[in-house]
Amino acid sequence: MAAAGVGSTSIPDRIAAVNKAFAEAGLVMEDLRRELETQQAARDVLLTRAKEQQRLLELNEQQAQRIQQILVGETKATIRAEGRKQWLFFALGVAASVPVGVLINILVP
């Protein structure tokens, strides 16, 4: 006797249909597993690239800081050298003016 709403399919036909559905589900699951593995591999590649980019960015920042330190150091050294040069010219001017003044006082009656 057939159950209500089941129709006239036999139990072996239903078992075959269920087995077929499970086989198809297994194929779909295998496809999904391969797709997931592909996406995970792509994610791993992207993470590796992101880490490399971060490392390069940090290196570039360090290099920029070093360049800035060098430039600031050179600027300070240049300022100090210019200051020393100005003091040297001032001292030479004073040193030269005293003998010239003395000479003028001696030569001019």
Side-chain angles (χ1 to χ4, degrees), residues 69-85:
Q69 289 172 348
I70 289 169
L71 291 176
V72 167
E74 288 179 357
T75 303
K76 288 180 180 178
T78 303
I79 290 171
R80 284 191 299 269
E82 287 297 320
R84 284 190 302 267
K85 190 185 296 183

Side-chain angles (χ1 to χ4, degrees), residues 11-44:
I11 288 180
D13 289 341
R14 287 190 217 157
I15 291 172
V18 168
N19 286 337
K20 182 180 176 187
F22 276 125
E24 288 177 5
L27 292 174
V28 170
M29 290 293 288
E30 183 63 24
D31 288 345
L32 289 173
R33 184 189 61 76
R34 281 194 300 268
E35 180 65 27
L36 180 62
E37 287 175 354
T38 301
Q39 288 179 359
Q40 286 176 337
R43 177 189 59 100
D44 291 343

Side-chain angles (χ1 to χ4, degrees), residues 2 62 78 91 94 107-108:
Q62 289 173 355
T78 303
V94 169
L107 295 176
V108 176

Side-chain angles (χ1 to χ4, degrees), residues 30-104:
E30 183 63 24
D31 288 345
L32 289 173
R33 184 189 61 76
R34 281 194 300 268
E35 180 65 27
L36 180 62
E37 287 175 354
T38 301
Q39 288 179 359
Q40 286 176 337
R43 177 189 59 100
D44 291 343
V45 168
L46 289 174
L47 284 174
T48 301
R49 287 182 183 170
K51 287 177 184 177
E52 180 66 16
Q53 291 296 323
Q54 182 64 34
R55 187 184 68 78
L56 290 173
L57 180 61
E58 289 170 359
L59 284 176
N60 286 339
E61 287 177 2
Q62 289 173 355
Q63 288 175 347
Q65 288 175 354
R66 287 182 188 144
I67 290 171
Q68 181 182 15
Q69 289 172 348
I70 289 169
L71 291 176
V72 167
E74 288 179 357
T75 303
K76 288 180 180 178
T78 303
I79 290 171
R80 284 191 299 269
E82 287 297 320
R84 284 190 302 267
K85 190 185 296 183
Q86 289 176 1
W87 279 108
L88 176 66
F89 285 135
F90 175 75
L92 288 175
V94 169
S97 65
V98 170
V100 169
V102 169
L103 245 150
I104 289 176

